[in-house]
Amino acid sequence: MDRGPARTEAAGVYPRTFGKYTLLRHLAIGGMADVFLAHQKGLAGFEKDCVIKRILPHLAQDAEFVQMFLDEARIVARLSHPNIVQIFDVGDVEGTYYIAMEHVHGEDIRALVRRMKKEGHREFPLSHALHIVSGVAAGLAYAHGKRDLDGTPLNIVHRDI
């Protein structure tokens, strides 16, 4: 079956190599970064799916922005909570800064709501909404209350909620 032209980006076709990762597909683009589903292979058969968050090229030239991106990676890497993705790696490949993070398998809420509408459901179940909001609140409470090893508050504020 012909699937049409391969999905491309300015620099290539998927899958493609990005440092020690293989970018499998583009997931999203935001105001500061592109996000990709990726795969990592390593020593002795080590394999792991992950997400690569890569700084947008026009922002990679802004030293203040790069520092903010790296600070985000450094801070989030200190967090360990079931409702916060884990950071595995931070680095740069040929001047492109990236964060490698946990890939959470499953549908996002937008896709779920689209499917529900298509199937004729008019409302998102309240119990599901409360479960989601409760999880988000638990993750945020953990991050906001996080302290360093000396007990000093980290004063984390999530800007994307």
Side-chain angles (χ1 to χ4, degrees), residues 86-101:
Q86 292 293 292
I87 300 292
F88 300 138
D89 187 22
V90 63
D92 79 276
V93 173
E94 299 176 5
T96 300
Y97 292 95
Y98 70 89
I99 300 171
M101 61 185 78

Side-chain angles (χ1 to χ4, degrees), residues 13-16 21-26 36-39 49-50:
V13 178
Y14 300 101
R16 72 167 199 254
Y21 302 95
T22 300
L23 302 181
L24 301 175
R25 72 173 194 251
H26 187 258
F36 301 86
L37 177 62
H39 190 76
D49 286 336
C50 61

Side-chain angles (χ1 to χ4, degrees), residues 118-131:
K118 197 179 212 181
E119 294 173 358
H121 300 283
R122 295 179 44 104
E123 293 181 5
F124 195 82
L126 180 60
S127 62
H128 294 356
L130 292 173
H131 180 76

